[in-house]
Amino acid sequence: MTNDRYTEGLEKLREIDGEAGQKVMDSLKDIAPDLGRYIIEFAFGDVYSRPGLDLKSREIATVAALTALGTAAPQLKVHIHGALNVGCTRKEVVEIIIQMAVYAGFPAALNGMAAAKEVFKERDEKGQS
Amino acid sequence: MTNDRYTEGLEKLREIDGEAGQKVMDSLKDIAPDLGRYIIEFAFGDVYSRPGLDLKSREIATVAALTALGTAAPQLKVHIHGALNVGCTRKEVVEIIIQMAVYAGFPAALNGMAAAKEVFKERDEKGQS
Amino acid sequence: MTNDRYTEGLEKLREIDGEAGQKVMDSLKDIAPDLGRYIIEFAFGDVYSRPGLDLKSREIATVAALTALGTAAPQLKVHIHGALNVGCTRKEVVEIIIQMAVYAGFPAALNGMAAAKEVFKERDEKGQS
Amino acid sequence: MTNDRYTEGLEKLREIDGEAGQKVMDSLKDIAPDLGRYIIEFAFGDVYSRPGLDLKSREIATVAALTALGTAAPQLKVHIHGALNVGCTRKEVVEIIIQMAVYAGFPAALNGMAAAKEVFKERDEKGQS
Amino acid sequence: MTNDRYTEGLEKLREIDGEAGQKVMDSLKDIAPDLGRYIIEFAFGDVYSRPGLDLKSREIATVAALTALGTAAPQLKVHIHGALNVGCTRKEVVEIIIQMAVYAGFPAALNGMAAAKEVFKERDEKGQS
Amino acid sequence: MTNDRYTEGLEKLREIDGEAGQKVMDSLKDIAPDLGRYIIEFAFGDVYSRPGLDLKSREIATVAALTALGTAAPQLKVHIHGALNVGCTRKEVVEIIIQMAVYAGFPAALNGMAAAKEVFKERDEKGQS
């Protein structure tokens, strides 16, 4: 069954994060491959695969949380990609980040917007929406 | 125009937070009414009234962020009410909070769930969905 | 295999957290039993069951982290119990918390110490070390 | 010399925190008196006794930081007392807390204001400004 | 009236942050100009323009909070400039940051000091105090 | 006696942090040497020199806390060196960081692992274990 969780998680990870997710896994290969495996099995296989909340809403939640926390710039970038990959528009991403000024202050929103700016540029260069 | 922002914000606050929002305003009346006014004008009049992201998605973002931050239990309760008031199901609220275990750890999710439990009980007692 | 993770995790949870862990599971039963299941399967079945770090060291890490974060008082209490259950002395728990003043400031250490005080009292009443 | 640091710190603690500071020390007596001693020696003897920034400015900094962090409600209350004891007006305390909405979000400001409200009430009851 | 808030805010922003503030606005121009507008209208037009706390004290509060939070290095640099622009001495800035070791731990103070060091160097190069 | 605290702290700093500790002191020399002195006297002279918890356990606590906080990457690197210098294995460091996914979320663990990776590489280049 672990295999099923892994398989389902990997599929979900690819659907959401695309190559950004693969890069995270690669970076863990030599030092802590099990941490990568837990991300696939638990985060994507168990949690993101749950019914009851659509993927777009899940990515809205994640972009909001990571912007508010302010301690996870690389992961925020991965999930801004993810949000756009599963159906959010750039405008929606910008709105989520603006809204975080209310709950976590303007610096959190400014730093979140800097992450969005980098992601949008990366996608422009690849012709992605 | 401040008046317009206030009027629009108050309407939005009532739509989202209902009486929970009013209680927050009341608690500020004697000590810092301007802080209450800014919440109405800026948070609800400026931000929540923006086009580009629907209210349900905005509340998903807020519930996620406040659960992840872990420093805002009273406000999280207000916004779990808010999420339910603008169209989230209880199941969706529970899903958002479970997902925060991935990004902010299990204690954040557990404390968020405790807030949800209190809100659900309050609503049960009033016959609210 | 999920069954194995669950069984191993439950055993580990009982070894570490004793009845405090059971109370957490009970509190989730009606609202989000899957969150409880993930704690057993992932936190205790996957992570705490890993070789490479002894349980006492794992609890030292957890008490330190939860004291420093300052957003998880109920979970800190559970893990102070846990630390004492797997071989830490009260003196060692006090030392970990004092040390957090250096990394997270005195308020974090003071609030951690308040949690330790409650736990020590609970254990005194039950004649636990 | 430790004695000098302790003596100077205790004097400073009394000047700033009054009986609220003494209560913190008392609460540590049975569990970690050395943590109390470090607060006196390091926080008050070393840091607050430094020239280069007046006590009122130091308390403004502390009230701001503890409001923004949002994890230190008991210590925030102590330092709102402290700010008022060394020359801040209630109005100034309210202004600092409102300003934190900009840097740490509205929930931080709301929870800080709740602390201020309790402190002001305690002082009203004792006829303190 | 929005115009008045904007005009007053922009003036205040220029008084406090100088060109550093302008750079923040510029960086938002293409992605989220409204976020920049809210910073001017709300943060500077509404909050910093309030009577009841002088600008120097406001900047002391902000430098303290951003140092303690530890998630806002770029904004901390802007406000160390701001503090110096409205009358703080470098020595006072250093004192605020040292004091944060007490409330948010030594890493927060060390990272705050690194920001101060960069700002002081930038100002040395421009012959600013 | 301050001299004794300084001497004992400096010895402890060298034992734990080696040259990484010295670099921190050097970076403070021109801007805030007293902050460096407090780190030596208070953090290392007072706290790390206390009996009641062995140095290896102290470093486990610190690596866990700094990974969980997520705001102290440079200090986390210093203390991963420290942990390895006082007897932790690389495997143990990796285990502590993986465990933090449970308490502070996967982004905290991923960023902690990136710090570990850099430290391990630095040590490989110097032939250190």
Side-chain angles (χ1 to χ4, degrees), chain A residues 32 35 38, chain C residues 47 50, chain F residues 94-102 109 113:
Chain A
L35 181 59
Y38 295 148
Chain C
V47 177
R50 293 173 64 84
Chain F
V94 165
E95 287 300 318
I96 298 163
I97 295 172
I98 288 176
Q99 188 173 317
M100 290 305 107
V102 175
M113 208 61 84

Side-chain angles (χ1 to χ4, degrees), chain C residues 55-67:
Chain C
L55 270 188
K56 184 178 159 182
S57 296
R58 289 195 181 276
E59 285 301 319
I60 288 171
T62 299
V63 168
L66 297 182
T67 300

Side-chain angles (χ1 to χ4, degrees), chain A residues 21-40, chain F residues 94 97-98 106 109-114 117:
Chain A
Q22 189 54 51
K23 274 184 200 160
V24 173
M25 293 308 122
D26 291 347
S27 76
L28 292 168
K29 218 172 39 189
D30 294 332
I31 190 166
D34 284 354
L35 181 59
R37 184 166 59 82
Y38 295 148
I39 291 174
I40 290 172
Chain F
V94 165
I97 295 172
I98 288 176
F106 282 93
L110 285 169
N111 294 330
M113 208 61 84
K117 210 170 169 174

Side-chain angles (χ1 to χ4, degrees), chain B residues 102-122:
Chain B
V102 175
Y103 298 104
F106 282 93
L110 285 169
N111 295 329
M113 208 60 85
K117 210 170 170 175
E118 288 180 50
V119 170
F120 293 175
K121 199 176 157 220
E122 286 170 26

Side-chain angles (χ1 to χ4, degrees), chain A residues 97-110, chain D residues 100-106:
Chain A
I97 295 172
I98 288 175
Q99 188 173 316
M100 289 306 106
V102 175
Y103 298 104
F106 281 94
L110 285 169
Chain D
M100 289 305 106
V102 175
Y103 298 104
F106 282 94

